[in-house]
């Protein structure tokens, strides 16, 4: 392994997270809403799914889980 391999190896987790997030968002965007429903912005869908999976979650916890600012959540 060369001297640059260590640097690349330390970036691997960040790269994987970025790739997983991009794939996650792309798959969510391809989903269609039920008949008669309008399409919601992806950020709203993510918040609603999180609330559905964790009833009683606070705004601060939502912001932390979705890596948002609390005032945007």
């Amino acid at each position: 392994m060369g001297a640059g391999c260590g640097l690349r190896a330390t970036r691997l987790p960040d790269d994987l997270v970025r790739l997983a997030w991009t794939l996650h968002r792309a798959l969510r965007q391809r989903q269609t809403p039920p008949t008669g429903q309008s399409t919601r912005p992806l950020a709203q869908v993510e918040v609603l799914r999180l609330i559905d999976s964790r009833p009683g979650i606070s705004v601060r916890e939502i912001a932390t889980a979705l890596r948002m600012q609390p005032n945007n959540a």
Side-chain angles (χ1 to χ4, degrees):
M1 288 192 186
C5 289
L7 179 59
R8 277 181 280 174
T10 59
R11 288 193 42 207
L12 183 61
D14 292 337
D15 291 344
L16 287 174
V17 168
R18 224 176 344 272
L19 177 61
W21 182 251
T22 301
L23 179 58
H24 170 79
R25 290 183 70 88
L27 291 172
R28 296 273 179 162
Q29 287 174 342
R30 292 193 180 268
Q31 293 178 337
T32 57
T35 304
Q37 299 294 314
S38 60
T39 302
R40 294 191 180 277
L42 186 57
Q44 285 183 8
V45 173
E46 290 171 340
V47 169
L48 291 171
R49 287 179 190 247
L50 185 58
I51 292 169
D52 185 53
S53 70
R54 295 176 52 192
I57 188 171
S58 71
V59 172
R60 183 163 300 280
E61 290 170 324
I62 291 169
T64 299
L66 297 178
R67 297 182 177 174
M68 301 170 72
Q69 295 296 318
N71 62 332
N72 290 335

